[in-house]
mmCIF file of all heavy atoms in Angstrom:
data_model
loop_
_atom_site.group_PDB
_atom_site.id
_atom_site.type_symbol
_atom_site.label_atom_id
_atom_site.label_comp_id
_atom_site.label_asym_id
_atom_site.label_seq_id
_atom_site.Cartn_x
_atom_site.Cartn_y
_atom_site.Cartn_z
ATOM 1 N N PRO S 4 -91.598 78.389 153.938
ATOM 2 C CA PRO S 4 -92.003 77.092 153.385
ATOM 3 C C PRO S 4 -92.428 76.082 154.440
ATOM 4 O O PRO S 4 -93.107 75.113 154.131
ATOM 5 C CB PRO S 4 -90.758 76.608 152.639
ATOM 6 C CG PRO S 4 -89.642 77.465 153.083
ATOM 7 C CD PRO S 4 -90.214 78.709 153.684
ATOM 8 N N ASP S 5 -92.043 76.286 155.710
ATOM 9 C CA ASP S 5 -92.450 75.365 156.766
ATOM 10 C C ASP S 5 -93.854 75.672 157.286
ATOM 11 O O ASP S 5 -94.455 74.842 157.944
ATOM 12 C CB ASP S 5 -91.454 75.425 157.922
ATOM 13 C CG ASP S 5 -90.066 74.938 157.498
ATOM 14 O OD1 ASP S 5 -89.998 74.074 156.598
ATOM 15 O OD2 ASP S 5 -89.080 75.427 158.069
ATOM 16 N N ALA S 6 -94.334 76.884 157.010
ATOM 17 C CA ALA S 6 -95.657 77.281 157.474
ATOM 18 C C ALA S 6 -96.703 76.901 156.425
ATOM 19 O O ALA S 6 -96.434 76.972 155.230
ATOM 20 C CB ALA S 6 -95.690 78.782 157.718
ATOM 21 N N PRO S 7 -97.897 76.486 156.859
ATOM 22 C CA PRO S 7 -98.936 76.188 155.874
ATOM 23 C C PRO S 7 -99.308 77.467 155.129
ATOM 24 O O PRO S 7 -99.462 78.513 155.739
ATOM 25 C CB PRO S 7 -100.099 75.678 156.708
ATOM 26 C CG PRO S 7 -99.726 75.833 158.123
ATOM 27 C CD PRO S 7 -98.306 76.279 158.207
ATOM 28 N N THR S 8 -99.409 77.391 153.818
ATOM 29 C CA THR S 8 -99.760 78.553 153.013
ATOM 30 C C THR S 8 -100.965 78.226 152.156
ATOM 31 O O THR S 8 -101.171 77.087 151.740
ATOM 32 C CB THR S 8 -98.601 78.985 152.107
ATOM 33 O OG1 THR S 8 -98.237 77.890 151.283
ATOM 34 C CG2 THR S 8 -97.405 79.449 152.912
ATOM 35 N N LYS S 9 -101.739 79.219 151.887
ATOM 36 C CA LYS S 9 -102.910 79.094 151.022
ATOM 37 C C LYS S 9 -102.830 80.228 150.023
ATOM 38 O O LYS S 9 -102.825 81.393 150.393
ATOM 39 C CB LYS S 9 -104.182 79.189 151.871
ATOM 40 C CG LYS S 9 -105.448 79.115 151.084
ATOM 41 C CD LYS S 9 -105.781 77.698 150.728
ATOM 42 C CE LYS S 9 -107.163 77.661 150.078
ATOM 43 N NZ LYS S 9 -107.286 76.628 149.124
ATOM 44 N N SER S 10 -102.739 79.870 148.751
ATOM 45 C CA SER S 10 -102.631 80.901 147.726
ATOM 46 C C SER S 10 -103.966 81.612 147.537
ATOM 47 O O SER S 10 -105.030 81.040 147.767
ATOM 48 C CB SER S 10 -102.181 80.293 146.405
ATOM 49 O OG SER S 10 -103.159 79.390 145.932
ATOM 50 N N ILE S 11 -103.888 82.860 147.115
ATOM 51 C CA ILE S 11 -105.084 83.611 146.749
ATOM 52 C C ILE S 11 -105.486 83.134 145.362
ATOM 53 O O ILE S 11 -104.680 83.099 144.444
ATOM 54 C CB ILE S 11 -104.817 85.125 146.758
ATOM 55 C CG1 ILE S 11 -104.486 85.587 148.177
ATOM 56 C CG2 ILE S 11 -106.009 85.884 146.183
ATOM 57 C CD1 ILE S 11 -104.083 87.043 148.290
ATOM 58 N N ALA S 12 -106.720 82.701 145.227
ATOM 59 C CA ALA S 12 -107.245 82.226 143.951
ATOM 60 C C ALA S 12 -108.617 82.858 143.749
ATOM 61 O O ALA S 12 -109.254 83.307 144.707
ATOM 62 C CB ALA S 12 -107.350 80.701 143.954
ATOM 63 N N PHE S 13 -109.076 82.884 142.517
ATOM 64 C CA PHE S 13 -110.363 83.486 142.213
ATOM 65 C C PHE S 13 -111.352 82.425 141.781
ATOM 66 O O PHE S 13 -111.035 81.539 141.002
ATOM 67 C CB PHE S 13 -110.213 84.557 141.127
ATOM 68 C CG PHE S 13 -109.412 85.727 141.599
ATOM 69 C CD1 PHE S 13 -108.061 85.809 141.334
ATOM 70 C CD2 PHE S 13 -110.004 86.723 142.356
ATOM 71 C CE1 PHE S 13 -107.302 86.873 141.796
ATOM 72 C CE2 PHE S 13 -109.256 87.785 142.828
ATOM 73 C CZ PHE S 13 -107.906 87.862 142.542
ATOM 74 N N GLY S 14 -112.570 82.519 142.296
ATOM 75 C CA GLY S 14 -113.647 81.587 141.994
ATOM 76 C C GLY S 14 -114.780 81.852 142.950
ATOM 77 O O GLY S 14 -114.813 82.864 143.637
ATOM 78 N N SER S 15 -115.727 80.944 143.009
ATOM 79 C CA SER S 15 -116.841 81.068 143.937
ATOM 80 C C SER S 15 -117.227 79.689 144.419
ATOM 81 O O SER S 15 -116.691 78.690 143.957
ATOM 82 C CB SER S 15 -118.031 81.758 143.262
ATOM 83 O OG SER S 15 -118.566 80.919 142.264
ATOM 84 N N ASN S 16 -118.167 79.617 145.332
ATOM 85 C CA ASN S 16 -118.575 78.328 145.887
ATOM 86 C C ASN S 16 -119.074 77.374 144.817
ATOM 87 O O ASN S 16 -118.925 76.175 144.916
ATOM 88 C CB ASN S 16 -119.659 78.515 146.948
ATOM 89 C CG ASN S 16 -119.097 79.129 148.197
ATOM 90 O OD1 ASN S 16 -117.897 79.093 148.431
ATOM 91 N ND2 ASN S 16 -119.962 79.724 149.008
ATOM 92 N N ASN S 17 -119.699 77.902 143.778
ATOM 93 C CA ASN S 17 -120.211 77.029 142.722
ATOM 94 C C ASN S 17 -119.315 77.066 141.489
ATOM 95 O O ASN S 17 -119.734 76.690 140.414
ATOM 96 C CB ASN S 17 -121.650 77.399 142.360
ATOM 97 C CG ASN S 17 -121.754 78.792 141.770
ATOM 98 O OD1 ASN S 17 -120.774 79.522 141.657
ATOM 99 N ND2 ASN S 17 -122.967 79.171 141.392
ATOM 100 N N SER S 18 -118.077 77.528 141.653
ATOM 101 C CA SER S 18 -117.079 77.597 140.581
ATOM 102 C C SER S 18 -117.504 78.490 139.423
ATOM 103 O O SER S 18 -117.027 78.353 138.320
ATOM 104 C CB SER S 18 -116.739 76.200 140.048
ATOM 105 O OG SER S 18 -116.179 75.435 141.077
#
Side-chain angles (χ1 to χ4, degrees):
D5 296 330
T8 57
K9 178 80 173 149
S10 64
I11 296 175
F13 294 96
S15 68
N16 289 340
N17 64 358
S18 298

